[in-house]
Amino acid sequence: MRYKVTIAYDGTDFAGFQMQPNERTVEGVLTKIVNKIAKNPGKRIQIFGSGRTDAGVHALGQVVHFDMNTQMNEDNMLHALNSMMPLDMSVKKVEIVSEDFHARFTTHGKRYMYRLSLGEFVDPFKRRYTGHWKFPIDIKLIKAAIKDLEGTHDFSSFVAAGSTVKSNVRTIYEASVRFDDATQEIVFEFYGNGFLYNMVRIMVAVLIEIGSKRRPVDDIPRLFQVLDRNEARGTAPASGLYLKKVYY
Amino acid sequence: MRYKVTIAYDGTDFAGFQMQPNERTVEGVLTKIVNKIAKNPGKRIQIFGSGRTDAGVHALGQVVHFDMNTQMNEDNMLHALNSMMPLDMSVKKVEIVSEDFHARFTTHGKRYMYRLSLGEFVDPFKRRYTGHWKFPIDIKLIKAAIKDLEGTHDFSSFVAAGSTVKSNVRTIYEASVRFDDATQEIVFEFYGNGFLYNMVRIMVAVLIEIGSKRRPVDDIPRLFQVLDRNEARGTAPASGLYLKKVYY
């Protein structure tokens, strides 16, 4: 039986998604729980995620799948998993899927959100859950610039060193920004067919520089041309980034 | 010069307000920072808080005072303190006050808030910041019962063992409850002239039992009569409790 599982986690206390020896990771914690539920699976059950998230990055709707030789229905699996979850991770949804489904290889796209808190001092209740910017910032400039990110581009200026993918061409279907009155935060959203290593955090750093007049409002087309990550400079902190949804 | 300082903190990673050897406490962290700012204060500068908060309890507006032999104005002190604060604590306001002011002895009252999240599973982004209740709960029953807490009463049924105060008589000026649509939480507020050890958390536990029909809606007047803490039973978790404001 193949189970598709949608999970949320507070990434602060995880060393990212991917399993690593001697580190607390999302994949590591999930793998242990799933193998405990399966009792004697014969060979170790492996978890497949839609992709990695870095240390400190959160998820509202990360998706994983695994195969288990059991008759548990969706609701029973949901309760079994949640009864063993640590408090900073929870399962939102369990679906039984066909063997065609693969959490990583059958995705059509992903949606990320970035929360940026403002004000001179960091709010102690937001430090785990937002990036923070204490200088003046004009959201109108960001709104004007962010549309330049939409479309199909070579994002070589927006990928961190250490990426091992062959092509840096990706398509962003939708990039938006709004000011949230309730939280007094700037909220960015990016929906695309795939994202490179640190790509969202580098895009947000560029947009913050544009909003605070440290970079011209029309600089993004230039960054697409120069194909040089040094030109994009900063990387916004992991604490503000959320994997919101994975599309299949 | 006497400084009145209003601070906020995420209580999760503090062993409460009061200084204790080998524990990270709010008072301990503040005392270190203030003495660093004063450089050579001669004798160690002491912090006076409006009162303790327990391990895990948060503050949106805790108040402390201290005396420092310096000419720093309010704004400079605000920046000096915040530049040294850990990320889970911040200073909201600094006021220079007369020597009549005492953070503990001149208070007229305090306001506490309690956030209760609902739903079957704990939201990983709320576990540090709310209590959680997964069973059916009727806020109308709580609304009917909570007004019985207002007024002057002997709160002996609502004080944890270990309290050392002489009298358990306190006055609650206002007790209210509402459902917050944005967060989908039940939010309690209590404004009174003083609160006993664990008193808010015990009141909230009683109200949750009333709301979920584990206790009659008119049980609070009985609890005031029996003067027996065992009759009140539970204590709601610290994670949902906030010291919101101290009145002078």
Side-chain angles (χ1 to χ4, degrees):
Chain A
M1 201 90 94
R2 181 157 294 184
Y3 294 90
K4 173 189 175 192
V5 178
T6 306
I7 58 175
Y9 46 86
D10 171 348
T12 314
D13 299 328
F14 290 100
F17 182 86
Q18 196 185 23
M19 191 121 54
Q20 294 174 59
N22 306 320
E23 295 279 7
R24 182 176 187 257
T25 68
V26 175
E27 191 186 12
V29 168
L30 272 177
T31 302
K32 255 191 212 161
I33 289 171
V34 166
N35 280 279
K36 262 190 201 158
I37 291 172
K39 288 185 184 119
N40 284 304
K43 78 189 236 289
R44 189 176 172 80
I45 296 173
Q46 199 183 338
I47 302 291
F48 297 89
S50 76
R52 306 172 193 172
T53 53
D54 284 339
V57 174
H58 314 293
L60 302 173
Q62 170 69 292
V63 174
V64 304
H65 86 259
F66 57 84
D67 295 327
M68 198 187 288
N69 189 7
T70 169
Q71 296 305 314
M72 283 173 85
N73 68 22
E74 295 169 342
D75 200 49
N76 288 347
M77 181 59 81
L78 175 72
H79 283 81
L81 288 167
N82 268 332
S83 71
M84 299 174 76
M85 284 283 152
L87 286 170
D88 49 359
M89 182 157 40
S90 82
V91 175
K92 314 294 269 186
K93 199 173 181 184
V94 170
E95 296 157 89
I96 292 172
V97 290
S98 75
E99 297 212 349
D100 299 347
F101 178 88
H102 191 290
R104 181 158 167 218
F105 298 126
T106 64
T107 62
H108 291 132
K110 286 184 185 171
R111 181 179 291 274
Y112 278 95
M113 172 173 81
Y114 196 94
R115 289 174 53 187
L116 186 71
S117 61
L118 306 174
E120 190 168 2
F121 307 116
V122 182
D123 181 327
F125 297 98
K126 291 189 172 182
R127 63 151 178 135
R128 296 162 62 100
Y129 307 112
T130 62
H132 178 251
W133 186 251
K134 70 175 174 180
F135 303 103
I137 190 161
D138 182 351
I139 195 172
K140 287 194 299 295
L141 293 172
I142 302 176
K143 274 191 176 150
I146 198 168
K147 289 298 161 193
D148 290 336
L149 291 167
E150 293 183 346
T152 302
H153 306 281
D154 184 326
F155 283 87
S156 294
S157 291
F158 298 89
V159 59
S163 168
T164 56
V165 295
K166 284 176 197 146
S167 163
N168 289 334
V169 175
R170 294 291 183 278
T171 301
I172 294 189
Y173 306 126
E174 193 197 318
S176 68
V177 65
R178 66 188 168 87
F179 183 75
D180 186 314
D181 281 316
T183 59
Q184 296 284 302
E185 294 167 10
I186 294 180
V187 182
F188 303 83
E189 290 214 19
F190 303 93
Y191 167 39
N193 68 349
F195 293 87
L196 302 165
Y197 186 40
N198 278 359
M199 178 170 145
V200 178
R201 292 164 57 188
I202 296 169
M203 292 191 299
V204 169
V206 165
L207 290 167
I208 290 172
E209 290 190 340
I210 287 171
S212 54
K213 300 184 184 162
R214 288 153 200 238
R215 188 186 282 277
V217 67
D218 58 356
D219 206 38
I220 289 171
R222 186 186 68 83
L223 291 170
F224 283 137
Q225 290 200 314
V226 295
L227 303 174
D228 179 358
R229 193 267 175 267
N230 295 319
E231 288 287 326
R233 296 194 290 258
T235 307
S239 53
L241 186 59
Y242 296 74
L243 173 55
K244 199 169 172 184
K245 192 166 178 178
V246 186
Y247 297 86
Y248 294 95
Chain B
M1 201 90 94
R2 181 158 293 185
Y3 294 90
K4 173 189 175 190
V5 179
T6 306
I7 58 174
Y9 47 84
D10 172 347
T12 314
D13 299 329
F14 290 100
F17 182 86
Q18 197 184 23
M19 190 123 52
Q20 294 173 58
N22 307 319
E23 295 278 7
R24 182 173 186 260
T25 68
V26 175
E27 191 184 15
V29 168
L30 272 176
T31 301
K32 256 192 211 160
I33 291 172
V34 166
N35 280 278
K36 263 190 200 157
I37 291 172
K39 288 185 183 118
N40 284 303
K43 76 187 238 286
R44 186 178 174 80
I45 295 173
Q46 199 183 339
I47 302 290
F48 297 88
S50 75
R52 306 171 194 174
T53 52
D54 284 338
V57 174
H58 314 293
L60 302 174
Q62 170 68 291
V63 174
V64 304
H65 85 261
F66 57 83
D67 295 326
M68 197 187 288
N69 189 7
T70 171
Q71 296 304 314
M72 284 173 84
N73 67 22
E74 295 170 342
D75 201 49
N76 289 347
M77 181 59 80
L78 175 71
H79 283 81
L81 288 168
N82 268 332
S83 71
M84 300 175 75
M85 283 283 150
L87 287 170
D88 49 358
M89 181 156 44
S90 83
V91 175
K92 313 297 267 187
K93 198 174 182 183
V94 171
E95 296 157 88
I96 291 173
V97 290
S98 75
E99 298 213 348
D100 299 346
F101 178 88
H102 192 289
R104 180 159 168 218
F105 298 126
T106 62
T107 62
H108 290 133
K110 287 184 184 170
R111 181 179 292 273
Y112 279 95
M113 172 173 79
Y114 196 94
R115 288 173 55 187
L116 186 71
S117 62
L118 306 175
E120 190 168 1
F121 307 116
V122 181
D123 180 327
F125 297 98
K126 291 189 173 184
R127 63 153 176 132
R128 295 162 62 98
Y129 307 113
T130 62
H132 178 253
W133 186 251
K134 69 175 177 180
F135 302 102
I137 190 162
D138 182 352
I139 195 173
K140 288 193 300 294
L141 292 172
I142 301 177
K143 275 191 176 149
I146 198 170
K147 289 298 161 194
D148 290 337
L149 289 167
E150 292 183 345
T152 302
H153 306 282
D154 185 325
F155 283 87
S156 294
S157 291
F158 297 89
V159 58
S163 169
T164 55
V165 295
K166 283 178 199 145
S167 162
N168 289 333
V169 175
R170 293 291 182 279
T171 300
I172 294 189
Y173 306 125
E174 193 197 317
S176 67
V177 66
R178 66 190 169 85
F179 184 75
D180 186 314
D181 282 317
T183 59
Q184 296 283 302
E185 293 167 10
I186 293 180
V187 182
F188 303 83
E189 290 213 19
F190 303 93
Y191 167 39
N193 69 348
F195 293 87
L196 302 165
Y197 186 41
N198 279 359
M199 178 170 145
V200 178
R201 292 163 60 188
I202 296 168
M203 292 192 299
V204 169
V206 165
L207 289 167
I208 290 171
E209 289 190 340
I210 287 172
S212 53
K213 300 184 184 161
R214 288 153 200 238
R215 189 186 282 277
V217 67
D218 59 356
D219 206 37
I220 289 171
R222 186 185 70 83
L223 290 171
F224 283 137
Q225 289 200 316
V226 294
L227 304 174
D228 179 358
R229 193 265 175 270
N230 295 319
E231 288 287 325
R233 295 193 290 259
T235 307
S239 53
L241 185 60
Y242 297 74
L243 174 56
K244 199 170 174 185
K245 191 166 179 178
V246 185
Y247 296 86
Y248 293 95

